[in-house]
Amino acid sequence: MTPTVDMSSNTATATTTDYKPKNAAFRVGLGDITPNNLGQLKRLNTVLFPVVYTATFYKEVLEVGEFAKIIYFNDVCVGAVCCRKENVAGSTSMQNLYIATLGVLAPYRRLGLGSKMLEHILENAELPASTGPRIGKVYLHVQANNEEALEFYKKHGFAVAEKCEKYYPQFEVSDAFRLEKVMVAEN
């Protein structure tokens, strides 16, 4: 039986999931990021990432629609994904999608929540655009020593496109891998 989602917040839209651990009843929902819950996203990002995001980042998050979501576990905000669309040089029919953040609080990892958020992003990236450019590829950067993240993205069809030396100059391990998944081949 698919668990039902009962999101009481009037600012969040919810979807259901078929994932259910053995002997556990829970509700999982993806909610829109709105000005009313932007503070929750900021708090999550402070806990999840060693980077301070700017006011411009949060302003852009409010403008990408389905490409920025908060995930709720039993009505508790436990993770989020934030992307940005980028124009492709020389193309008016194609954009790329950059995953700036995707994270789940440690106690809620290994429950399929990160996969649910990433699958939502990829499903929406595959949809033909009703207006404007299509998404040609989805990409992101992962710190070179983050084996868990590398395996997670590879499991979802991403491939290493390049190694970026000193991508994170503020960290001890400064190298990163750029991972990408092609959604639509360029003409």
Side-chain angles (χ1 to χ4, degrees):
M1 180 175 178
T2 302
T4 59
V5 175
D6 179 22
M7 300 295 293
S8 57
S9 169
N10 62 358
T11 61
T13 58
T15 57
T16 60
T17 181
D18 289 325
Y19 177 81
K20 185 175 181 180
K22 295 177 183 176
N23 303 320
F26 66 86
R27 292 179 313 278
V28 172
L30 288 176
D32 293 330
I33 297 173
T34 70
N36 293 334
N37 63 15
L38 197 58
Q40 287 181 316
L41 175 63
K42 289 177 181 179
R43 281 190 296 276
L44 271 173
N45 284 347
T46 299
V47 172
L48 292 170
F49 306 109
V51 176
V52 176
Y53 293 96
T54 65
T56 301
F57 171 86
Y58 290 106
K59 180 181 179 287
E60 291 172 355
V61 164
L62 291 171
E63 298 170 357
V64 294
E66 292 300 312
F67 296 115
K69 292 291 183 182
I70 289 179
I71 194 157
Y72 295 90
F73 184 89
N74 285 340
D75 299 328
V76 176
C77 177
V78 298
V81 59
C82 300
C83 304
R84 72 172 176 258
K85 293 179 182 178
E86 298 177 343
N87 293 327
V88 174
S91 176
T92 57
S93 62
M94 196 81 63
Q95 284 184 319
N96 291 330
L97 188 70
Y98 182 72
I99 300 175
T101 66
L102 189 152
V104 175
L105 295 173
Y108 298 92
R109 292 181 188 153
R110 303 249 180 243
L111 296 174
L113 304 176
S115 291
K116 181 166 181 59
M117 289 188 291
L118 183 57
E119 289 163 4
H120 175 84
I121 296 302
L122 294 175
E123 287 169 8
N124 279 278
E126 287 178 336
L127 294 174
S130 56
T131 61
R134 291 198 64 179
I135 303 297
K137 71 178 170 185
V138 178
Y139 77 105
L140 66 141
H141 290 89
V142 171
Q143 201 169 7
N145 66 339
N146 191 340
E147 292 294 326
E148 186 178 2
L150 289 167
E151 289 307 312
F152 171 79
Y153 288 107
K154 287 178 181 178
K155 181 177 86 173
H156 289 282
F158 285 77
V160 173
E162 71 174 316
K163 184 173 184 179
C164 305
E165 292 185 14
K166 297 184 171 99
Y167 184 80
Y168 297 111
Q170 70 273 37
F171 301 129
E172 187 176 323
V173 177
S174 63
D175 294 348
F177 291 108
R178 183 171 56 83
L179 303 173
E180 65 181 42
K181 182 171 184 170
V182 175
M183 307 305 287
V184 176
E186 294 183 46
N187 295 333

